[in-house]
Amino acid sequence: MYKLITLFLISVLMNTNIQAQTKQQHHRQLRHVVLFSFKPGSSAADIKKVEDAFRTLPSKIPEIKGFEWGTNNSPEGLAQGFTHCFFLTFNSEKDREIYLPHPDHKAFGAILKPHLEKVLVIDYWAEK
């Protein structure tokens, strides 16, 4: 009986340790999703300049922990004119608070503004 109780306690302790490690590995991340549609008069070169400027932000703003981007290729026809998606990851709301007024982010906005038709921004905490 003593061995059975000991095995049970060891099993419980090991399971508790595994759960604690899993919680530590499950680090929540703040996602910042930005969708753009461009003015009809903006040329391909203008849009490329915007893309290039946005792509440099992660190298200039260390609070950006992840970055992806791409252009719409959905066959559903529901994009409502949005063509570009930029997907940023932050570790905290504080990191996002640093990013938003950051001088390099503001400089990007100056490049974007003459060509921007519409923007949609959604932030969320990633859940798994």
Side-chain angles (χ1 to χ4, degrees), residues 35-56 67 69-72 81-86 108 110-118:
L35 304 174
F36 293 143
S37 69
F38 292 97
K39 292 180 179 177
S42 294
S43 69
D46 294 330
I47 294 170
K48 173 112 174 66
K49 185 176 176 183
V50 170
E51 294 169 352
D52 292 345
F54 208 142
R55 288 190 355 244
T56 67
F67 178 82
W69 79 281
T71 57
N72 179 47
F82 291 102
T83 57
H84 287 66
C85 178
F86 295 86
F108 162 74
I111 294 168
L112 169 67
K113 189 175 180 177
H115 307 291
L116 183 64
E117 179 76 20
K118 293 188 296 184

Side-chain angles (χ1 to χ4, degrees), residues 51-116:
E51 294 169 352
D52 292 345
F54 208 142
R55 288 190 355 244
T56 67
L57 292 180
S59 67
K60 297 176 179 179
I61 305 173
E63 287 75 18
I64 299 171
K65 300 304 179 193
F67 178 82
E68 294 178 33
W69 79 281
T71 57
N72 179 47
N73 73 350
S74 174
E76 296 180 284
L78 301 174
Q80 299 181 30
F82 291 102
T83 57
H84 287 66
C85 178
F86 295 86
F87 186 88
L88 290 78
T89 301
F90 299 97
N91 285 337
S92 68
E93 290 180 5
K94 182 178 179 181
D95 286 351
R96 180 186 55 195
E97 289 170 12
I98 293 168
Y99 162 78
L100 290 173
H102 192 283
D104 289 309
H105 182 234
K106 296 293 187 186
F108 162 74
I111 294 168
L112 169 67
K113 189 175 180 177
H115 307 291
L116 183 64

